């Protein structure tokens, strides 16, 4: 695609629906927090650790980063830096994952974690033109009982007015060998609390489309995170397309983290769009891949061969897939249309 200028993709106002706050921590902040947490990293620069040959090998490093987060101030700092960094690349609104299982098991208080993240979000929102809501992710590696416990504790916070930023529940982490249906009680509890529901499914090498079906039919999710294995089940694909269930796809992550494709040229994103699926573009864990949202749009344009018009549609599809109400979506869309009309993005 013939788009020139380094800032065109940063200039597109964007939403992001699949981004883990712990995967956005600046490498310099990781070093500082690790030292302060009393377990300095085995390398001088964490980027030396950021090479993965599978989802599970990535998770081992992701967990190292998570372990550096000890206090409310740490959570506030990473949320703040994450949003300021995102805004520099055109991020306007994010529904952002945090995955506190490891911290709760180590004795941290969920209320303090949520309060810290909220502090950081509110500080960023006063400084840069970005807004953010939170999605509490169940870490599947900790099992279904811990998942239900997390949702119940979120419920306590909601009832106490202490989780106003938390709008949804998801599930991430390892996929192979996990009985996804066993998380049904946690997702049912989330539904009773009025929380929105999403789930990572069909991501790892070795994972087929079955987890996508389970997430929809057994867990009752409204979105699927990744979901790339759906191309292996044409009937399920047709159904998800006709029901308009969004898939929050992270193309670079699928190459670099899951190692599911050798390059973006092999990624099924264009085929998914052509088949009528509602897909959105996201970074997953940008700081752990040397990535940002503008760069991801550029990579998708170049690597998947999308036209400028398709990229604009993808940005709009992101807005349509948010859990914002119609008036908030309309405001984001007006922002998008106003800015994009002035950008030097030629029609392909
Ligand atoms: N998949 C599973 N677990 C994760 C991911 C992901 O994309 N990112 C952070 N934890
Ligand atoms: Zn993810």
């Amino acid at each position: 695609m013939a788009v020139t200028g380094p800032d065109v993709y940063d200039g597109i106002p964007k939403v992001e629906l699949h981004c883990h706050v712990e995967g956005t921590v600046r490498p310099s902040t990781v070093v500082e927090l690790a030292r302060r947490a009393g377990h300095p990293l085995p390398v001088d620069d964490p980027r030396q650790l950021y090479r993965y040959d599978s989802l599970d090998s990535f998770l081992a490093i992701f967990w190292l980063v998570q372990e550096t987060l000890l206090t409310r101030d740490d959570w506030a700092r990473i949320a703040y830096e994450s949003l300021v960094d995102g805004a520099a690349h055109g991020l306007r609104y994010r529904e952002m994952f945090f995955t506190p299982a490891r911290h709760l098991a180590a004795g941290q208080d969920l209320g303090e974690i949520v309060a810290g993240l909220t502090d950081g979000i509110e500080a960023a929102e006063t400084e840069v033109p970005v807004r953010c809501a939170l999605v509490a992710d169940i870490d599947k590696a900790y099992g279904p009982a811990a998942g239900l416990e997390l949702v119940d504790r979120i419920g306590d916070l909601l009832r106490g007015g202490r989780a106003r930023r938390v709008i949804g529940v998801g599930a991430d982490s390892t996929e192979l060998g996990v009985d996804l249906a066993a998380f049904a009680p946690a997702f049912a509890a989330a539904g009773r609390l009025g929380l929105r529901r999403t789930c990572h499914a069909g991501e790892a090498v070795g994972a087929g489309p079955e987890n996508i079906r389970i997430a929809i039919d057994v867990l009752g999710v409204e979105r699927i995170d990744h979901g790339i294995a759906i191309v292996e089940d044409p009937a399920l694909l047709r159904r998800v397309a006709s029901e308009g269930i969004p898939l929050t796809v992270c193309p670079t992550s699928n190459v670099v983290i899951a190692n599911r494709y050798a390059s973006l040229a092999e990624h099924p994103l264009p085929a998914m769009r052509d088949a009528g699926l509602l897909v959105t573009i996201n970074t997953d864990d940008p700081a752990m891949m040397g990535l940002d949202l503008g760069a991801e749009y550029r990579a998708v344009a170049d690597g998947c061969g999308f036209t400028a018009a398709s990229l604009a549609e993808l940005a709009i599809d992101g807005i349509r897939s948010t859990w914002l109400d119609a008036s908030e979506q309309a405001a984001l869309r007006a922002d998008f249309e106003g800015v994009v009309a002035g950008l030097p993005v030629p029609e392909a």
Side-chain angles (χ1 to χ4, degrees):
M1 139 175 204
V3 175
T4 54
D7 300 323
V8 169
Y9 297 95
D10 287 348
I12 300 173
K14 295 177 283 295
V15 306
E16 182 162 46
L17 308 177
H18 185 159
C19 182
H20 303 261
V21 67
E22 305 93 329
T24 70
V25 186
R26 296 173 185 164
S28 56
T29 300
V30 173
V31 172
E32 210 183 306
L33 293 179
R35 207 174 289 135
R36 204 179 312 155
H39 28 96
L41 300 170
V43 289
D44 291 334
D45 183 338
R47 284 171 290 198
Q48 293 169 256
L49 302 172
Y50 294 169
R51 285 190 196 96
Y52 325 107
D53 56 24
S54 65
L55 173 61
D56 285 348
S57 74
F58 163 79
L59 289 168
I61 310 298
F62 184 81
W63 293 338
L64 273 186
V65 175
Q66 283 192 320
E67 281 168 3
T68 69
L69 304 167
L70 298 186
T71 68
R72 173 173 175 162
D73 285 351
D74 295 343
W75 290 97
R77 174 176 176 176
I78 66 161
Y80 169 81
E81 292 179 355
S82 175
L83 293 172
V84 168
D85 292 351
H89 298 284
L91 177 71
R92 293 287 214 279
Y93 173 71
R94 183 188 279 160
E95 290 169 2
M96 181 163 75
F97 295 130
F98 68 109
T99 311
R102 182 157 282 90
H103 311 90
L104 300 179
Q108 284 190 43
D109 178 64
L110 184 64
E112 288 292 287
I113 294 171
V114 171
L117 290 166
T118 304
D119 292 344
I121 291 168
E122 290 179 353
E125 285 179 345
T126 62
E127 269 179 45
V128 292
V130 75
R131 291 172 53 218
C132 182
L134 291 169
V135 180
D137 255 5
I138 292 166
D139 185 331
K140 286 177 266 175
Y142 279 72
L148 178 58
E149 175 75 12
L150 172 64
V151 176
D152 286 344
R153 295 289 76 75
I154 294 282
D156 293 341
L157 295 178
L158 285 169
R159 281 185 288 276
R162 297 172 63 208
R164 62 191 179 282
R165 292 285 173 163
V166 179
I167 62 166
V169 162
D172 65 25
S173 186
T174 196
E175 185 165 16
L176 301 181
V178 168
D179 173 12
L180 194 58
F183 291 83
F187 278 78
R192 287 193 295 274
L193 290 168
L195 290 164
R196 312 302 294 260
R197 287 167 285 175
T198 187
C199 185
H200 284 56
E203 173 192 13
V205 170
E210 183 60 8
N211 278 344
I212 301 170
R213 198 195 57 70
I214 292 170
I216 294 168
D217 288 339
V218 182
L219 306 185
V221 303
E222 303 155 73
R223 282 199 308 239
I224 294 287
D225 300 313
H226 294 295
I228 43 185
I230 199 163
V231 294
E232 296 167 20
D233 184 339
L236 181 65
L237 187 154
R238 279 194 298 277
R239 177 185 158 205
V240 169
S242 76
E243 292 179 14
I245 298 170
L247 296 125
T248 67
V249 181
C250 307
T252 295
S253 166
N254 299 148
V255 172
V256 173
I257 290 180
N259 280 249
R260 199 163 174 131
Y261 314 105
S263 73
L264 284 179
E266 291 178 20
H267 198 285
L269 184 66
M272 292 166 80
R273 268 180 64 77
D274 289 347
L277 289 167
L278 179 55
V279 295
T280 73
I281 300 180
N282 307 271
T283 61
D284 210 2
D285 300 284
M288 298 182 69
M289 293 182 280
L291 189 65
D292 62 65
L293 192 55
E296 183 68 339
Y297 270 62
R298 178 176 291 279
V300 164
D302 295 346
C304 299
F306 278 119
T307 63
S310 304
L311 272 176
E313 280 169 25
L314 277 160
I316 299 258
D317 286 345
I319 298 172
R320 289 171 56 206
S321 303
T322 65
W323 289 332
L324 292 169
D325 66 27
S327 70
E328 292 169 310
Q329 287 195 11
L332 274 175
R333 202 166 163 148
D335 177 20
F336 171 90
E337 278 158 4
V339 175
V340 167
L343 282 176
V345 181
E347 288 307 312

